[in-house]
Amino acid sequence: MFAKPFRVKSNTVMKGSDRRKLRADVSAAFPALSGDDVSALVPSKEELNVVKAYAHRGDAVTLYVLHKNPVFFEVEKHIYPTVYTLWRYPDTLPAFTTWPTVLQKLAGGADLMLPGVVVPSQGLPEVKQGDCCAITVVRNRAPVAVGTATMSTGEMQGLGMKGRGVSILHAYMDSLWAFGDKSGPPSIPAPHSEDCAEEECSDGDSTTDTCCPDLQELSLNQGETEQGEEHGNEDGGTEEEKSPQEQMDILLLQCFLHALKSKVKKSELPLLTSTFLRNHMFSCCPSGKQLDIKKSSYKKLSKFLHSMQQQHHLVEIKELSKGVESIVDVAWKHPELRSFCPPEESVSEEAPVDGSGDHDRPYHPPEITPLYVVSARLEPLFQDSQKRKGAVLSPEEVRTIITEYVKKNELVDEHNKNFININPALCDCLLEKSEYQEVEKLKWDDLFTRTMDKMQHSYKLLFPGQEPIIKKGQIEPINISVASRGSNKKVTLIKNLELYGIDPAAMATTLQHRVQASTVLNPVPGSKDRVLVQIQGNQVQQVGSILLDQYQIPRKYIQGLEKGQKPGKKK
C-alpha cells in the first residue's frame, strides 16, 4: 500500500474526544497492549496529529502521528500499527519469521509467500484469515512489516506451506516509514536465537548451516520460489551492511548498465533521457525491487547520467533542444559495459512498453479505464458498501453498489421495473433543486449516468508489465494541430504522446522517414516532462495513420484528425 509515495490531504491536531475513541479502538484491536501502553501511544496532552491521505492507488488512509512518527494507520475502518509502534511493543501482533534479504522486496510492495516462512521449533503462530500479523527476520524480533493473513494457520499447513501467506500493507523502508524519522529497527534477540540449528524453512529442509541471512533468498513473486542470489557483494559486504541510499545507487547503476547492454540499440540514438528511464531502465529493475532515483545519492536523473558521462565515460549527453537532454552516443566497447552480465531474472513476460517501433520490443497501447471517486455529496449512497469519500471505483463497481442500494431500499417501481423511485437520499444526491418537486422516478440508465456525472473523474493507465497508474481528471488525448510559420508555410504539431507510452523521438524519426520532411522536438510550455513534435507541412493524415495503424491508439484518444488535407479512412 505504501510502496510508492502517498498524497497528504490534511494534517490536524487530534481532539480530546477523538483521542479517547482511538484509545478504545486500539485497546479492542490489540489486547496484548496494556492500558499504560495504549496511553503512551495515544497520550492525552502530547502532540498527536491525524493525517488524511490517499495512497498511490487511490485508497483513503488515516494516519495517527505522535512526535512526528506515525504510530497507527487506518484503512476502511481497520486500524493497524506501524513498525515504529511495533519496535516499542514487539509482542503486539502474532509474527511470522522470514529471511533478512526479503526486506527490500516487502518494502517494494511484494507479499510474503509461504515457501519462505521460517518455521521455528515451537511452530507457527495461530492466526485466522484476515488477522493482523507482523513479519520479523531471523535473529531479530523487531518487526519489519505489517499485513493480514490470507488464510488460517491450519490452512497454511494443510496446503503444505505453498502460496501467499501474508498480504503486506506496510514495511520498513516504505513511504509510510519515510513519513517518520526514518530510524532503523532495534536489535531484539529472538528467543533461543543461539539454537539456530533447530529452525526449519517451511519446505522442511534443515537450516543448520543457514543462520547467516545471505545464504537464503526468497522470491515473493506469486506462487514461485526464486533461486538463491549471489551471497553478498563483491567487496565482501552483505546487502544489509549498506544504507538504503547505497543500495539504491547500486540498483541504479545495475539498471543503467542492463538497459544499455540489453535494451538500447544504435538505431534508437539520439534517445531522450526521460524515455531511456521510463522505457528501458524501469523495465530492467529486478522483480520485487523499486527503482527510485530520489532515494539515491544522485536525486535527479540528469545528475546521475552526467556522472556516467564525466566519470565513467559510458554515454554522451547533449541538449539537442532547449531544456531537453538526449543520449547521443554510447561507449559500447567500454570495459565496464562489456563485462556487465545482465541478471537472468526477468521482470515480466510481457514485452516492455516501447514507442520506437522496434520489432524485438513491439509497442502495446495502454489499457485505459475510467474511474470514479466518491464525493462528499454522494457518500450516503456508498456507505452501506463501506466506501467513503475519496474511494476510487470502476464503472462496474459503481453500477453494482447503486444496484444493491436500490434493491436494499426497495426502490424498484412495482408497475414498471425499468424505473426507480426517488427516495430522499437519491433526491439530495442526484437531482437539481429545480427537479425536487417534478422528478419522482428515474430509468436505470439515467440513474447510473447521473451518479457518475456527480462523481469526481479519474482514470487508470495499465501498460503491459508495469504497475497501474491512477490519475485525476480525464486523460488528455493526443493532440494534432497545424500552425503557420512565416509566409504560407505550415507545420504539424503533436503533443501528449508520452501519456500513451509513445517516445516522441521515435515518432519524429518515423515521420521523417515516411514523409521526407524535417522534424524538431521542443519542450511543451509549462510542462517539465512533455515534448512537442514538430514536422514541416500538413502531415495530419500521416500522423493519424501511424497512431491508428502502427500504435493501435483508439480514435477517441486522438484529437485533430479532421485537420488533415484529405480525410483518412476511418478505422
Side-chain angles (χ1 to χ4, degrees):
M1 173 169 283
F2 300 102
K4 295 182 180 179
F6 54 87
R7 179 171 60 87
V8 174
K9 180 185 177 184
S10 63
N11 187 343
T12 57
V13 177
M14 202 170 189
K15 298 179 181 178
S17 58
D18 292 334
R19 295 186 188 216
R20 290 192 292 273
K21 182 180 183 304
L22 179 59
R23 279 196 289 269
D25 292 341
V26 170
S27 296
F30 310 110
L33 293 174
S34 68
D36 291 340
D37 296 338
V38 175
S39 296
L41 290 168
V42 190
S44 298
K45 296 183 179 180
E46 297 178 45
E47 182 180 351
L48 180 65
N49 285 34
V50 56
V51 177
K52 302 287 187 179
Y54 291 115
H56 71 280
R57 292 186 177 177
D59 300 299
V61 185
T62 302
L63 312 179
Y64 300 100
V65 183
L66 175 66
H67 300 150
K68 298 184 179 180
N69 274 346
V71 288
F72 296 101
F73 64 99
E74 185 176 344
V75 182
E76 295 184 350
K77 296 185 178 181
H78 293 285
I79 194 165
Y80 305 92
T82 67
V83 290
Y84 290 110
T85 294
L86 295 178
W87 292 341
R88 294 175 62 182
Y89 306 102
D91 296 322
T92 302
L93 300 175
F96 291 89
T97 304
T98 187
W99 301 95
T101 45
V102 174
L103 178 55
Q104 190 161 356
K105 298 182 180 182
L106 297 180
D111 291 333
L112 180 65
M113 305 303 291
L114 289 175
V117 173
V118 177
V119 182
S121 56
Q122 66 269 27
L124 295 172
E126 287 296 327
V127 297
K128 296 179 293 184
Q129 183 180 6
D131 280 358
C132 188
C133 308
I135 308 299
T136 63
V137 296
V138 291
R139 294 183 170 186
N140 194 349
R141 288 174 51 239
V144 294
V146 179
T148 56
T150 61
M151 62 187 83
S152 67
T153 303
E155 289 172 321
M156 294 179 187
Q157 295 168 332
L159 292 174
M161 298 300 288
K162 302 294 182 184
R164 184 186 292 105
V166 180
S167 178
I168 301 299
L169 296 172
H170 156 55
Y172 167 53
M173 293 195 298
D174 67 6
S175 63
L176 180 56
W177 165 83
F179 195 69
D181 62 15
K182 300 183 181 179
S183 57
S187 178
I188 307 176
H192 311 296
S193 60
E194 70 279 3
D195 198 14
C196 190
E198 294 182 3
E199 291 184 335
E200 294 183 352
C201 288
S202 60
D203 60 5
D205 293 337
S206 174
T207 59
T208 303
D209 297 322
T210 58
C211 294
C212 294
D214 60 334
L215 296 181
Q216 180 82 14
E217 281 269 344
L218 300 178
S219 169
L220 297 181
N221 290 330
Q222 297 182 8
E224 295 183 1
T225 302
E226 203 178 70
Q227 298 295 324
E229 295 180 2
E230 291 297 321
H231 310 322
N233 300 310
E234 292 181 1
D235 59 1
T238 62
E239 184 177 308
E240 293 129 300
E241 294 174 357
K242 296 186 178 296
S243 68
Q245 187 179 80
E246 291 172 325
Q247 293 178 31
M248 187 57 66
D249 285 351
I250 293 171
L251 179 61
L252 191 61
L253 179 60
Q254 175 188 319
C255 294
F256 171 77
L257 294 173
H258 188 175
L260 289 182
K261 188 153 188 175
S262 304
K263 306 292 183 180
V264 178
K265 295 190 175 182
K266 290 182 180 180
S267 60
E268 295 181 63
L269 302 179
L271 178 65
L272 288 175
T273 56
S274 59
T275 301
F276 174 68
L277 173 67
R278 183 178 62 250
N279 290 351
H280 298 313
M281 286 185 64
F282 281 153
S283 68
C284 293
C285 186
S287 173
K289 293 188 178 182
Q290 183 181 6
L291 186 63
D292 190 341
I293 294 178
K294 292 182 180 179
K295 293 182 180 179
S296 72
S297 62
Y298 301 96
K299 305 301 181 186
K300 294 182 179 181
L301 176 64
S302 58
K303 187 176 179 181
F304 170 74
L305 291 178
H306 281 287
S307 173
M308 296 298 104
Q309 174 181 255
Q310 297 166 6
Q311 298 178 21
H312 294 253
H313 308 291
L314 284 162
V315 291
E316 182 180 354
I317 310 294
K318 284 188 178 180
E319 191 174 287
L320 299 181
S321 301
K322 186 177 180 181
V324 181
E325 290 188 331
S326 298
I327 299 174
V328 297
D329 194 20
V330 176
W332 304 106
K333 296 183 179 180
H334 193 287
E336 188 172 2
L337 186 58
R338 295 184 67 178
S339 62
F340 177 77
C341 295
E344 294 181 3
E345 182 188 56
S346 175
V347 176
S348 171
E349 295 179 0
E350 295 280 354
V353 174
D354 186 356
S356 67
D358 189 281
H359 293 294
D360 294 332
R361 299 189 305 280
Y363 169 86
H364 294 285
E367 179 183 328
I368 304 171
T369 306
L371 298 175
Y372 298 90
V373 182
V374 177
S375 61
R377 179 176 178 179
L378 267 65
E379 196 170 13
L381 303 183
F382 294 87
Q383 283 180 341
D384 291 343
S385 300
Q386 305 299 316
K387 301 298 182 183
R388 298 181 179 178
K389 176 186 174 183
V392 180
L393 305 171
S394 67
E396 293 76 17
E397 289 174 316
V398 174
R399 290 189 180 93
T400 299
I401 292 173
I402 295 301
T403 301
E404 291 174 353
Y405 176 87
V406 168
K407 292 181 177 178
K408 181 178 180 180
N409 290 275
E410 299 180 350
L411 299 177
V412 178
D413 188 83
E414 293 182 359
H415 305 292
N416 189 342
K417 297 187 182 298
N418 292 324
F419 285 86
I420 305 303
N421 295 319
I422 300 298
N423 67 356
L426 287 175
C427 179
D428 292 341
C429 293
L430 303 181
L431 299 186
E432 302 296 334
K433 289 184 178 180
S434 60
E435 298 176 316
Y436 283 1
Q437 304 300 324
E438 299 177 3
V439 179
E440 297 180 352
K441 300 178 182 181
L442 288 175
K443 288 187 176 181
W444 278 101
D445 288 345
D446 194 14
L447 176 69
F448 295 139
T449 300
R450 285 177 180 249
T451 301
M452 294 181 193
D453 285 345
K454 298 289 184 183
M455 300 178 77
Q456 299 171 10
H457 290 248
S458 60
Y459 62 92
K460 179 175 73 175
L461 277 175
L462 180 59
F463 290 98
Q466 296 188 17
E467 286 290 318
I469 302 169
I470 295 179
K471 294 187 177 182
K472 285 185 175 181
Q474 296 179 334
I475 187 170
E476 295 181 63
I478 295 175
N479 182 273
I480 309 171
S481 60
V482 179
S484 298
R485 294 287 189 269
S487 58
N488 204 28
K489 289 186 178 180
K490 295 186 181 296
V491 293
T492 302
L493 307 174
I494 315 154
K495 67 178 181 180
N496 298 334
L497 293 169
E498 299 93 338
L499 297 178
Y500 298 81
I502 298 175
D503 182 0
M507 169 63 84
T509 301
T510 302
L511 279 169
Q512 192 173 24
H513 292 165
R514 178 174 291 197
V515 302
Q516 297 299 304
S518 63
T519 58
V520 178
L521 298 178
N522 293 313
V524 175
S527 176
K528 294 181 179 180
D529 56 358
R530 295 194 195 178
V531 176
L532 187 74
V533 178
Q534 175 180 310
I535 184 168
Q536 286 185 345
N538 185 332
Q539 310 295 350
V540 173
Q541 185 180 357
Q542 295 292 343
V543 174
S545 174
I546 293 171
L547 291 173
L548 292 169
D549 299 331
Q550 180 175 331
Y551 289 102
Q552 299 292 305
I553 301 295
R555 181 176 288 271
K556 64 181 178 179
Y557 295 119
I558 305 174
Q559 184 180 66
L561 291 175
E562 72 282 356
K563 297 174 183 176
Q565 291 178 331
K566 296 180 181 180
K569 183 179 179 181
K570 287 191 176 182
K571 192 176 177 220

